[in-house]
Amino acid sequence: MFTTCGFKVGLPLCEAFLAFGNEEYDKALSLMMPVRRQNSRLGWSIAQRHVIALTVVQAAINARNYRTALALLSELKELKPNHRTTAQMFSTVKELCEQGKK
């Protein structure tokens, strides 16, 4: 049985992953942003939640929404300051922002 939480959080995440897989990055981003902080309600591990967070960031990057990606990466850096992937992505996206991208 799918819980209320599953409908409110899990369903939008599933739809977002489908959109991401179909290269509809703006749609994936818009579906993930409202529920990105609620995925812990589904009982997933910290590692699984981190994958969700990185997927939201990648959707923002692929949608060329670099300022959103940078903001999301800043949040991740606060949570995991020594995470190498986050630091590398942050540097790359920061450069893109400085080049005048949106």
Side-chain angles (χ1 to χ4, degrees), residues 14-27:
C14 289
E15 291 173 343
F17 280 121
L18 285 171
F20 189 96
N22 289 327
E23 299 179 3
E24 299 172 34
Y25 303 115
D26 287 317
K27 181 178 180 179

Side-chain angles (χ1 to χ4, degrees), residues 76-92:
L76 287 176
K77 276 182 68 172
E78 285 183 31
L79 294 172
K80 291 188 169 198
N82 299 320
H83 194 270
R84 190 175 5 162
T85 302
T86 302
Q88 290 170 342
M89 290 175 81
F90 184 86
S91 295
T92 301

Side-chain angles (χ1 to χ4, degrees), residues 33-78:
M33 286 298 286
V35 297
R36 67 190 171 88
R37 290 191 177 127
Q38 299 174 31
N39 60 28
S40 64
R41 294 174 58 200
L42 294 172
W44 295 343
S45 71
I46 292 170
Q48 289 169 317
R49 287 181 247 156
H50 195 68
V51 168
I52 299 289
L54 290 175
T55 303
V56 177
V57 170
Q58 193 61 54
I61 292 169
N62 291 357
R64 293 187 169 90
N65 193 333
Y66 302 122
R67 292 197 194 284
T68 298
L70 194 61
L72 292 167
L73 286 165
S74 293
E75 290 177 7
L76 287 176
K77 276 182 68 172
E78 285 183 31

